[in-house]
Amino acid sequence: MSESEDVRSRLRQMRGRAEDLTRAAEQATDPAERRRLQDEAHRLESRSVQFSGMASGDIYPME
């Protein structure tokens, strides 16, 4: 597997996990658990955007 394929695979996994967490948050009945799941989904999505930018050669990572 080439490096670019590895990066794409990792990004797909991160985004897929973020989507899973978002769906779980929507179904959670406990407000604290819902918030925890939403926060984790947001962190993963942010990391995937930053990872994608760095992989594309962007020297200014998003915050």
Side-chain angles (χ1 to χ4, degrees):
M1 180 179 284
S2 74
E3 186 176 338
S4 64
E5 290 171 340
D6 187 42
V7 169
R8 283 193 296 268
S9 174
R10 176 92 170 121
L11 286 170
R12 272 194 303 274
Q13 289 174 351
M14 291 171 75
R15 290 178 181 147
R17 179 70 178 138
E19 289 175 12
D20 291 345
L21 288 167
T22 299
R23 280 193 294 277
E26 291 170 355
Q27 296 175 0
T29 56
D30 178 38
E33 179 68 3
R34 178 180 300 125
R35 184 67 185 162
R36 185 189 70 77
L37 291 168
Q38 289 171 333
D39 289 347
E40 182 62 23
H42 179 72
R43 275 192 295 276
L44 274 174
E45 187 61 35
S46 294
R47 284 177 44 205
S48 73
V49 168
Q50 184 178 17
F51 192 72
S52 177
M54 289 170 41
S56 69
D58 188 353
I59 61 171
Y60 301 105
M62 299 188 68
E63 295 184 26

